[in-house]
Short mmCIF file of all heavy atoms in Angstrom, two decimals:
data_model
loop_
_atom_site.label_atom_id
_atom_site.label_comp_id
_atom_site.label_asym_id
_atom_site.label_seq_id
_atom_site.Cartn_x
_atom_site.Cartn_y
_atom_site.Cartn_z
N ALA P 179 -110.02 -153.20 -113.37
CA ALA P 179 -110.43 -152.68 -112.02
C ALA P 179 -111.94 -152.08 -112.07
O ALA P 179 -112.70 -152.50 -111.19
CB ALA P 179 -109.57 -151.59 -111.61
N PRO P 180 -112.41 -151.41 -113.08
CA PRO P 180 -113.76 -150.87 -113.02
C PRO P 180 -114.81 -151.83 -113.57
O PRO P 180 -116.05 -151.66 -113.42
CB PRO P 180 -113.73 -149.63 -113.97
CG PRO P 180 -112.69 -150.04 -114.97
CD PRO P 180 -111.66 -150.91 -114.32
N VAL P 181 -114.36 -153.02 -114.05
CA VAL P 181 -115.29 -154.00 -114.66
C VAL P 181 -115.88 -154.93 -113.55
O VAL P 181 -115.28 -155.22 -112.57
CB VAL P 181 -114.55 -154.79 -115.74
CG1 VAL P 181 -115.51 -155.85 -116.42
CG2 VAL P 181 -114.01 -153.92 -116.77
N SER P 182 -117.13 -155.30 -113.73
CA SER P 182 -117.79 -156.13 -112.74
C SER P 182 -118.46 -157.28 -113.51
O SER P 182 -118.62 -157.27 -114.72
CB SER P 182 -118.82 -155.39 -111.97
OG SER P 182 -119.87 -154.97 -112.87
N LYS P 183 -118.90 -158.27 -112.75
CA LYS P 183 -119.66 -159.38 -113.33
C LYS P 183 -120.96 -158.94 -114.02
O LYS P 183 -121.29 -159.33 -115.03
CB LYS P 183 -119.99 -160.44 -112.19
CG LYS P 183 -120.53 -161.69 -112.58
CD LYS P 183 -120.54 -162.62 -111.34
CE LYS P 183 -120.97 -164.11 -111.74
NZ LYS P 183 -122.38 -164.09 -112.10
N GLU P 184 -121.60 -158.00 -113.29
CA GLU P 184 -122.88 -157.45 -113.86
C GLU P 184 -122.59 -156.72 -115.16
O GLU P 184 -123.38 -156.88 -116.14
CB GLU P 184 -123.44 -156.34 -112.83
CG GLU P 184 -123.95 -157.03 -111.55
CD GLU P 184 -122.83 -157.53 -110.58
OE1 GLU P 184 -121.72 -156.97 -110.61
OE2 GLU P 184 -123.07 -158.53 -109.87
N PHE P 185 -121.50 -155.91 -115.18
CA PHE P 185 -121.17 -155.26 -116.44
C PHE P 185 -120.91 -156.26 -117.59
O PHE P 185 -121.43 -156.04 -118.73
CB PHE P 185 -119.98 -154.28 -116.31
CG PHE P 185 -119.61 -153.50 -117.50
CD1 PHE P 185 -120.37 -152.41 -118.00
CD2 PHE P 185 -118.48 -153.89 -118.23
CE1 PHE P 185 -120.05 -151.80 -119.23
CE2 PHE P 185 -118.07 -153.24 -119.37
CZ PHE P 185 -118.85 -152.25 -119.87
N ALA P 186 -120.19 -157.26 -117.20
CA ALA P 186 -119.84 -158.29 -118.27
C ALA P 186 -121.23 -158.93 -118.76
O ALA P 186 -121.31 -159.11 -120.00
CB ALA P 186 -118.99 -159.42 -117.55
N GLU P 187 -122.08 -159.20 -117.90
CA GLU P 187 -123.39 -159.76 -118.37
C GLU P 187 -124.11 -158.77 -119.22
O GLU P 187 -124.68 -159.20 -120.27
CB GLU P 187 -124.30 -160.17 -117.09
CG GLU P 187 -123.78 -161.48 -116.49
CD GLU P 187 -124.36 -161.75 -115.15
OE1 GLU P 187 -125.22 -161.04 -114.78
OE2 GLU P 187 -123.87 -162.67 -114.50
N GLU P 188 -124.11 -157.58 -118.79
CA GLU P 188 -124.85 -156.43 -119.46
C GLU P 188 -124.35 -156.31 -120.98
O GLU P 188 -125.17 -156.10 -121.87
CB GLU P 188 -124.58 -155.14 -118.68
CG GLU P 188 -125.58 -154.06 -118.88
CD GLU P 188 -125.11 -152.84 -118.12
OE1 GLU P 188 -124.92 -153.04 -116.85
OE2 GLU P 188 -124.76 -151.72 -118.77
N ILE P 189 -123.07 -156.38 -121.17
CA ILE P 189 -122.54 -156.17 -122.49
C ILE P 189 -122.47 -157.42 -123.31
O ILE P 189 -122.06 -157.46 -124.45
CB ILE P 189 -121.16 -155.48 -122.50
CG1 ILE P 189 -120.09 -156.37 -121.87
CG2 ILE P 189 -121.25 -154.12 -121.74
CD1 ILE P 189 -118.61 -155.82 -121.99
N GLY P 190 -122.81 -158.57 -122.70
CA GLY P 190 -122.87 -159.85 -123.48
C GLY P 190 -121.59 -160.60 -123.53
O GLY P 190 -121.42 -161.50 -124.35
N ALA P 191 -120.68 -160.32 -122.58
CA ALA P 191 -119.47 -161.12 -122.48
C ALA P 191 -119.76 -162.44 -121.81
O ALA P 191 -120.80 -162.59 -121.19
CB ALA P 191 -118.38 -160.36 -121.69
N ASP P 192 -118.95 -163.49 -122.00
CA ASP P 192 -119.23 -164.75 -121.54
C ASP P 192 -118.76 -164.93 -120.07
O ASP P 192 -119.22 -165.83 -119.33
CB ASP P 192 -118.57 -165.81 -122.42
CG ASP P 192 -119.14 -165.87 -123.72
OD1 ASP P 192 -120.31 -166.24 -123.99
OD2 ASP P 192 -118.43 -165.44 -124.69
N GLY P 193 -117.86 -164.14 -119.71
CA GLY P 193 -117.36 -164.23 -118.22
C GLY P 193 -116.60 -162.99 -117.85
O GLY P 193 -116.07 -162.23 -118.69
N TYR P 194 -116.39 -162.88 -116.51
CA TYR P 194 -115.66 -161.91 -115.94
C TYR P 194 -114.71 -162.52 -114.90
O TYR P 194 -114.99 -163.35 -114.13
CB TYR P 194 -116.62 -160.78 -115.20
CG TYR P 194 -115.87 -160.03 -114.14
CD1 TYR P 194 -115.10 -158.96 -114.40
CD2 TYR P 194 -116.04 -160.41 -112.74
CE1 TYR P 194 -114.51 -158.25 -113.41
CE2 TYR P 194 -115.43 -159.72 -111.73
CZ TYR P 194 -114.65 -158.58 -112.08
OH TYR P 194 -114.00 -157.87 -111.11
N ALA P 195 -113.48 -161.93 -114.89
CA ALA P 195 -112.50 -162.41 -113.80
C ALA P 195 -111.84 -161.18 -113.19
O ALA P 195 -111.47 -160.30 -113.78
CB ALA P 195 -111.41 -163.26 -114.43
#
Side-chain angles (χ1 to χ4, degrees):
V181 179
S182 64
K183 192 170 184 289
E184 291 69 32
F185 178 73
E187 281 166 10
E188 199 183 303
I189 65 172
D192 297 293
Y194 156 78

